[in-house]
Coordinates of all heavy atoms in Angstrom, one line a residue:
G10 N 252.8 -220.5 -50.3 CA 252.9 -219.4 -49.4 C 253.8 -218.3 -50.1 O 253.5 -217.1 -50.0
R35 N 264.1 -221.7 -45.5 CA 263.4 -220.8 -46.4 C 262.7 -221.6 -47.5 O 263.0 -222.8 -47.7 CB 264.4 -219.8 -47.0 CG 264.9 -218.8 -45.9 CD 265.7 -217.7 -46.5 NE 266.0 -216.7 -45.5 CZ 265.2 -215.7 -45.1 NH1 264.0 -215.6 -45.7 NH2 265.5 -214.8 -44.2
E70 N 258.1 -210.0 -42.8 CA 258.7 -210.5 -41.5 C 258.5 -212.0 -41.6 O 257.4 -212.6 -41.6 CB 257.9 -210.0 -40.3 CG 257.9 -208.5 -40.2 CD 257.0 -208.0 -39.1 OE1 256.9 -208.7 -38.0 OE2 256.4 -206.9 -39.2
R83 N 237.1 -214.7 -35.8 CA 236.9 -213.7 -36.8 C 238.0 -213.7 -37.9 O 237.9 -213.0 -38.9 CB 236.8 -212.3 -36.2 CG 235.7 -212.1 -35.3 CD 235.7 -210.6 -34.7 NE 236.9 -210.3 -34.0 CZ 237.8 -209.5 -34.5 NH1 237.6 -208.8 -35.6 NH2 238.9 -209.2 -33.8
G84 N 239.0 -214.5 -37.7 CA 240.1 -214.6 -38.6 C 241.0 -213.4 -38.6 O 241.7 -213.2 -39.6
L122 N 258.7 -239.1 -47.4 CA 259.5 -238.1 -48.2 C 258.6 -237.0 -48.6 O 257.9 -237.0 -49.6 CB 260.0 -238.8 -49.5 CG 261.0 -238.0 -50.3 CD1 262.1 -237.4 -49.5 CD2 261.5 -238.8 -51.5
R132 N 268.4 -239.7 -47.8 CA 269.6 -239.7 -48.7 C 270.8 -240.2 -47.9 O 271.7 -240.9 -48.5 CB 269.9 -238.2 -49.2 CG 271.0 -238.2 -50.2 CD 271.1 -236.9 -50.9 NE 271.8 -235.8 -50.2 CZ 272.3 -234.7 -50.7 NH1 272.1 -234.5 -52.1 NH2 272.9 -233.8 -50.0
R141 N 268.5 -253.0 -49.2 CA 267.2 -253.6 -49.7 C 266.1 -252.6 -49.4 O 265.8 -252.4 -48.2 CB 267.0 -254.9 -49.1 CG 268.0 -256.0 -49.3 CD 267.9 -257.2 -48.5 NE 268.0 -256.9 -47.0 CZ 267.8 -257.7 -46.1 NH1 267.5 -259.0 -46.3 NH2 267.9 -257.3 -44.8
I145 N 256.5 -248.4 -50.2 CA 255.1 -248.7 -50.0 C 254.3 -247.6 -50.6 O 254.3 -246.5 -50.2 CB 254.7 -248.9 -48.5 CG1 255.6 -250.0 -47.9 CG2 253.2 -249.2 -48.3 CD1 255.4 -250.1 -46.4
G147 N 252.6 -246.9 -54.9 CA 253.1 -246.8 -56.2 C 252.7 -245.5 -56.9 O 252.7 -245.4 -58.1
G151 N 256.2 -242.4 -54.6 CA 256.7 -243.7 -54.5 C 257.5 -244.2 -55.7 O 258.6 -244.7 -55.7
G160 N 268.4 -246.3 -59.4 CA 269.5 -245.7 -60.1 C 270.8 -245.6 -59.2 O 271.9 -245.6 -59.8
V186 N 251.1 -249.2 -68.6 CA 252.3 -248.7 -69.2 C 253.3 -248.2 -68.2 O 254.5 -248.6 -68.2 CB 252.0 -247.6 -70.2 CG1 253.3 -247.0 -70.8 CG2 251.1 -248.1 -71.4
G195 N 264.3 -252.4 -63.6 CA 264.8 -253.4 -62.7 C 264.2 -253.5 -61.3 O 264.8 -254.0 -60.4
L198 N 257.7 -255.1 -58.8 CA 256.4 -254.4 -58.5 C 255.4 -255.4 -58.0 O 255.1 -256.4 -58.7 CB 255.9 -253.7 -59.8 CG 254.5 -253.0 -59.7 CD1 254.6 -251.9 -58.7 CD2 254.1 -252.5 -61.0
R208 N 258.2 -255.2 -39.8 CA 258.8 -256.0 -38.9 C 260.2 -255.4 -38.4 O 260.8 -254.7 -39.2 CB 259.1 -257.4 -39.5 CG 257.8 -258.3 -39.7 CD 258.2 -259.7 -40.0 NE 257.0 -260.6 -40.0 CZ 257.1 -261.9 -40.1 NH1 258.3 -262.5 -40.3 NH2 256.0 -262.6 -40.1
A278 N 237.3 -229.6 -54.8 CA 238.4 -230.5 -55.1 C 239.7 -230.0 -54.5 O 239.9 -228.8 -54.4 CB 238.6 -230.6 -56.6
P290 N 247.3 -218.7 -56.0 CA 247.6 -217.5 -55.2 C 247.2 -216.2 -55.9 O 246.7 -215.2 -55.2 CB 249.1 -217.5 -55.0 CG 249.4 -219.0 -54.9 CD 248.5 -219.6 -56.0
V303 N 235.7 -212.0 -56.5 CA 235.5 -211.3 -57.7 C 236.1 -212.0 -58.9 O 235.9 -211.7 -60.1 CB 236.2 -209.9 -57.7 CG1 235.4 -209.0 -56.6 CG2 237.7 -209.9 -57.4
L309 N 243.5 -226.0 -65.6 CA 243.5 -227.4 -66.1 C 244.5 -228.2 -65.3 O 245.7 -227.9 -65.1 CB 244.0 -227.4 -67.5 CG 243.9 -228.7 -68.3 CD1 242.5 -229.1 -68.6 CD2 244.8 -228.7 -69.5
P310 N 244.0 -229.4 -64.7 CA 245.0 -230.2 -64.0 C 246.1 -230.6 -64.8 O 246.0 -231.0 -66.0 CB 244.1 -231.4 -63.6 CG 242.7 -230.9 -63.6 CD 242.7 -229.9 -64.7
E341 N 255.4 -249.4 -77.3 CA 256.5 -250.3 -77.2 C 257.8 -249.7 -77.4 O 258.9 -250.2 -77.0 CB 256.3 -251.5 -78.3 CG 256.2 -251.0 -79.7 CD 254.7 -250.8 -80.1 OE1 253.9 -250.5 -79.2 OE2 254.4 -251.0 -81.3
P364 N 257.5 -234.2 -75.3 CA 257.1 -232.9 -74.8 C 256.5 -231.9 -75.7 O 255.6 -231.2 -75.3 CB 258.5 -232.4 -74.2 CG 259.5 -233.1 -75.0 CD 258.9 -234.4 -75.3
R365 N 257.0 -231.8 -77.0 CA 256.4 -230.8 -77.9 C 255.0 -231.1 -78.2 O 254.1 -230.2 -78.1 CB 257.3 -230.7 -79.1 CG 258.7 -230.1 -78.8 CD 259.4 -229.8 -80.1 NE 260.7 -229.2 -79.8 CZ 261.6 -228.9 -80.8 NH1 261.3 -229.1 -82.0 NH2 262.7 -228.2 -80.4
A382 N 238.0 -236.0 -81.9 CA 238.8 -237.2 -81.7 C 239.6 -237.5 -83.0 O 239.1 -237.3 -84.1 CB 237.9 -238.4 -81.4
P384 N 241.1 -239.8 -85.7 CA 240.7 -241.1 -86.3 C 241.9 -242.1 -86.4 O 242.3 -242.5 -87.4 CB 240.2 -240.8 -87.7 CG 241.0 -239.6 -88.1 CD 241.2 -238.8 -86.8

Side-chain angles (χ1 to χ4, degrees):
R35 290 191 174 275
E70 299 175 36
R83 297 181 301 111
L122 187 53
R132 184 166 85 161
R141 297 169 299 176
I145 301 173
V186 176
L198 178 62
R208 289 194 172 184
V303 295
L309 184 78
E341 57 268 28
R365 288 187 178 179

